[in-house]
Amino acid sequence: MTVLVSILTVVVLLLALAVVGLLRSHAEILRALHDLGVNLEDGAPRRGPRTFEAGSRSEDAVARSSVGDRVARIGENGLAIPAEGPLGNAHDLMGVTPSGDAAAIAVRGTDRLTLLAFLSTGCATCLDFWEAFRQPQNRQVGGPGSELVVIAKGPDAESPAAVAELADPALNTLLSSEAYDDYSVPVAPYFVLVDGHTSRIVGEGAAASFEQLRSLISKALADAGYGSGGERSRRDVLRGRRRRATADEALEAAGIGPGHPSLYEDPRPEGEREP
Amino acid sequence: MSTLTRRLAAHGLSIEVFPGWDVRIERREQSSTPAPGSPWPVGGFVHPVLHAATSTLPPDRGDYGSGYVETMRPLDVFVALVEFDHEAGDTAMFDEGLPTALQASEFHPEAQQRVIPGMCGSQRFFAEHGRAFCLYVVLGSWVQRHQLVQAVNRLVATIRIDPLDPLVPLDPTS
């Protein structure tokens, strides 16, 4: 009888350990999904945290946003504002090259990140990017090993000759109004970073200069759990480690470390503090 | 060039674009300078080239894939359809019709334009609608050729070749 009770006790303990392990794993997955912008709670608001800016494109961008919607997404500074909603699926590209040839470029189902740079020949802000992309090292702005594809509108809206004049011949350049529609691009310049592994958009938005783009992409990569090498481990994604590391690096750069007085100060004016 | 759903077309060639494939249909710039003592341009007439690959095609590539094939991984595939002067199609080297069922047995490491260890290639010459072509295929792995050739055949079966346009002069300089 004593032996039987002992065996049962051990079995119950082992089962309890297994349940605790499962619950912990479940909590980690939920936390990771939450960090990625997915909230499974009933009635939870949908949000899109993986953007270069505060908003992001609509999940159903496939349904093509109207011209009115896109005009409404142009800010006072003339730069595009990402649409509200979670980040959507990526779309493969198809169009013509500046020399009049045909090209199809896969961005889905690949093992790399692809930065899509939607530029035009007429906008002054775009000139900074055309110039920057002439330098081979700047084409890796989406992370080491990433691909850069520059997309102008189709020949119905852009002059292929003008695009050829601005685009470096070694640059993957495409004229495709279809791509502007697929990605609901309101106005150039606009940038979309795609993870080919998941066929999903990692981040998107506008930038006023190449340096600003570099900074925005680096944040988008960190938010999505990518390291500086543009690669991420499953553990990094699940635990959001890269994100925490980035925050720690930023604090350290600002001279704020463990025990720094600013971490314990109440930011409210003295009169508003609770007794 | 025209795009219709997922079919890419240009220069009288068209092909279905499968997910994960990069495809280009290009015609390089032809010299406007005639070769000495000849009415033909320096470097000869330039014809269209179709390239399809299962990973990123770099902008700078040779007709037979140099610049890309060196970067191929074991499960990558490269297909090149290179057009020749149409008169070549009348010679014995060119079979009639686009080959649509390549066999794993016809791939060999020595059949690559430049031998890359571990990889293999195949080359077929054919004529269709009065146009002469070479279908050149490189597989990223000689060991996996039986598996990879199926992907090639699936793609090649979607290639369409338009007849020569009688309104376009054969000699573009004339």
Side-chain angles (χ1 to χ4, degrees):
Chain A
M1 185 65 185
T2 311
V3 174
L4 192 63
V5 169
S6 301
I7 291 171
L8 274 174
T9 308
V10 170
V11 169
V12 167
L13 279 173
L14 287 173
L15 283 172
L17 278 173
V19 168
V20 168
L22 280 171
L23 285 173
R24 189 176 169 190
S25 158
H26 181 69
E28 282 188 359
I29 291 168
L30 283 178
R31 195 184 310 131
L33 286 171
H34 187 266
D35 281 350
L36 290 169
V38 180
N39 194 339
L40 300 178
E41 289 172 26
D42 289 339
R46 304 181 79 193
R47 66 192 188 97
R50 302 290 172 263
T51 64
F52 296 168
E53 292 186 353
S56 68
R57 73 197 299 272
S58 166
E59 178 82 52
D60 57 1
V62 186
R64 310 273 166 94
S65 56
S66 70
V67 174
D69 289 342
R70 290 196 217 175
V71 170
R73 285 173 47 209
I74 301 174
E76 287 176 3
N77 55 2
L79 292 178
I81 303 165
E84 292 295 332
L87 294 165
N89 291 318
H91 304 267
D92 286 337
L93 307 167
M94 195 182 268
V96 294
T97 65
S99 54
D101 296 319
I105 299 174
V107 298
R108 295 169 55 85
T110 66
D111 59 357
R112 61 168 196 271
L113 290 166
T114 306
L115 177 65
L116 312 179
F118 292 88
L119 302 179
S120 84
T121 56
C123 86
T125 314
C126 296
L127 289 176
D128 184 43
F129 297 102
W130 286 113
E131 192 58 39
F133 292 147
R134 286 188 167 275
Q135 307 300 323
Q137 70 272 19
N138 288 344
R139 294 176 203 149
Q140 294 288 305
V141 65
S146 65
E147 287 294 325
L148 170 69
V149 183
V150 175
I151 305 159
K153 280 192 175 175
D156 52 325
E158 284 275 13
S159 155
V163 175
E165 205 168 297
L166 288 169
D168 190 279
L171 197 60
N172 258 327
T173 309
L174 209 57
L175 286 82
S176 172
S177 296
E178 186 188 32
Y180 272 69
D181 286 344
D182 283 344
Y183 286 92
S184 300
V185 176
V187 66
Y190 199 74
F191 302 90
V192 178
L193 188 61
V194 171
D195 180 355
H197 213 262
T198 58
S199 301
R200 303 273 300 172
I201 294 168
V202 175
E204 66 178 44
S209 68
F210 179 74
E211 284 313 311
Q212 192 185 5
L213 172 69
R214 196 198 296 272
S215 159
L216 293 170
I217 287 180
S218 135
K219 282 177 194 161
L221 286 173
D223 276 357
Y226 289 83
S228 55
E231 291 176 0
R232 61 177 173 174
S233 68
R234 184 170 293 178
R235 183 174 288 261
D236 282 343
V237 174
L238 282 174
R239 299 194 170 180
R241 281 185 172 171
R242 180 63 206 159
R243 193 175 199 178
R244 279 205 293 274
T246 307
D248 288 344
E249 284 162 16
L251 287 168
E252 198 178 337
I256 300 171
H260 192 275
S262 67
L263 298 174
Y264 307 103
E265 283 172 5
D266 191 332
R268 291 172 296 183
E270 201 154 325
E272 294 178 19
R273 291 181 194 170
E274 290 167 10
Chain B
M1 144 38 230
S2 63
T3 56
L4 182 63
T5 49
R6 298 304 295 165
R7 195 165 182 87
L8 195 68
H11 310 307
L13 301 173
S14 73
I15 186 170
E16 217 162 284
V17 180
F18 294 140
W21 286 77
D22 264 23
V23 183
R24 307 281 192 282
I25 305 175
E26 299 173 334
R27 180 153 57 196
R28 301 184 199 289
E29 202 172 330
Q30 181 169 288
S31 171
S32 55
T33 311
S38 158
W40 299 326
V42 172
F45 297 121
V46 175
H47 298 288
V49 174
L50 182 154
H51 283 169
T54 50
S55 52
T56 307
L57 285 169
D60 201 13
R61 302 177 312 278
D63 284 352
Y64 293 89
S66 57
Y68 169 73
V69 291
E70 302 86 349
T71 67
M72 284 173 67
R73 300 158 304 179
L75 293 183
D76 277 335
V77 162
F78 171 73
V79 175
L81 188 66
V82 182
E83 185 165 8
F84 288 75
D85 289 343
H86 76 286
E87 296 91 344
D90 297 330
T91 63
M93 191 169 73
F94 287 76
D95 294 328
E96 190 55 42
L98 171 70
T100 52
L102 301 181
Q103 302 297 317
S105 56
E106 65 187 87
F107 283 84
H108 196 275
E110 296 292 332
Q112 296 175 84
Q113 195 196 35
R114 186 162 65 82
V115 176
I116 300 174
M119 293 164 52
C120 58
S122 171
Q123 205 169 17
R124 290 269 204 106
F125 294 89
F126 68 94
E128 182 154 316
H129 298 310
R131 299 169 70 176
F133 292 93
C134 169
L135 177 68
Y136 175 63
V137 179
V138 179
L139 306 181
S141 167
W142 158 251
V143 176
Q144 303 274 359
R145 62 191 182 283
H146 293 277
Q147 177 194 340
L148 297 176
V149 76
Q150 293 174 31
V152 173
N153 284 335
R154 192 165 154 254
L155 182 85
V156 170
T158 72
I159 294 176
R160 299 286 176 269
I161 297 170
D162 294 342
L164 281 174
D165 187 343
L167 299 177
V168 175
L170 295 174
D171 174 358
T173 59
S174 65

